[in-house]
Amino acid sequence: DAGVIQSPRHEVTEMGQEVTLRCKPISGHDYLFWYRQTMMRGLELLIYFNNNVPIDDSGMPEDRFSAKMPNASFSTLKIQPSEPRDSAVYFCASSFRNTEAFFGQGTRLTVV
Amino acid sequence: GQQVMQIPQYQHVQEGEDFTTYCNSSTTLSNIQWYKQRPGGHPVFLIQLVKSGEVKKQKRLTFQFGEAKKNSSLHITATQTTDVGTYFCAGPRNNNDMRFGAGTRLTVKP
């Protein structure tokens, strides 16, 4: 397996634009997590899914953020409209029965 | 809600010196995980501790889980330059959502 795959690796967008981050978890994993990492706030859990169902989205900062998992092999995190304070590295991670989490390479988002 | 606190925030050591990072929770944890993130990289799983008082070793790394399952530590013996990175502990707030500590950034002077 190629591991957790995230795209794009880097994204630069203008304030107000819609941004969509994508994640393909490891096949067979039943948990998927979206994290955001910044120097100020560290690694924050935004939302997680179990068997494609969102379980806890209390970490999603605002209504501008939304996440979906239409099937077991794909998830998206969307920001609309984007703001400069959304600039961060966004990680997707997956795990099987919530044991060790495997992280993707991350998407470095810059909103100017 | 449950928070995982980690200290110190930074640690700079001379190569060959030991290093320890500590993780504390306000509530009892069902388990605790440790991750390492190299500069510019992503977190990589190191280990999971489940039992009260558990001690596990991986070469020069020793992981401990407190008797009350509210604290944990990672100790590195005789650090090497390859140990550079940020070490995170993570614990579940409920059952399945791993919340990360702030991390300890380790730098090693050769």
Side-chain angles (χ1 to χ4, degrees), chain A residues 35 37 56 98-99 101 104, chain B residues 33 35 37 42 93 96-98:
Chain A
Y35 288 91
Q37 186 173 39
D56 187 344
N98 205 33
T99 53
Chain B
Q33 297 177 353
Y35 292 78
Q37 183 176 21
H42 59 280
R93 187 177 73 174
N96 302 306
D97 51 343
M98 298 306 285

Side-chain angles (χ1 to χ4, degrees), chain A residues 26-69:
Chain A
I26 292 174
S27 177
H29 282 189
D30 54 350
Y31 284 87
L32 184 139
F33 307 86
W34 281 102
Y35 288 91
R36 177 173 69 175
Q37 186 173 39
T38 60
M39 287 295 292
M40 291 297 295
R41 301 177 68 87
L43 261 172
E44 300 175 276
L45 177 62
L46 301 178
I47 185 171
Y48 77 97
F49 297 82
N50 178 217
N51 292 322
N52 314 338
V53 176
I55 302 301
D56 187 344
D57 65 353
S58 61
M60 297 285 262
E62 300 171 29
D63 291 345
R64 298 185 296 104
F65 285 69
S66 63
K68 294 182 179 180
M69 192 166 185

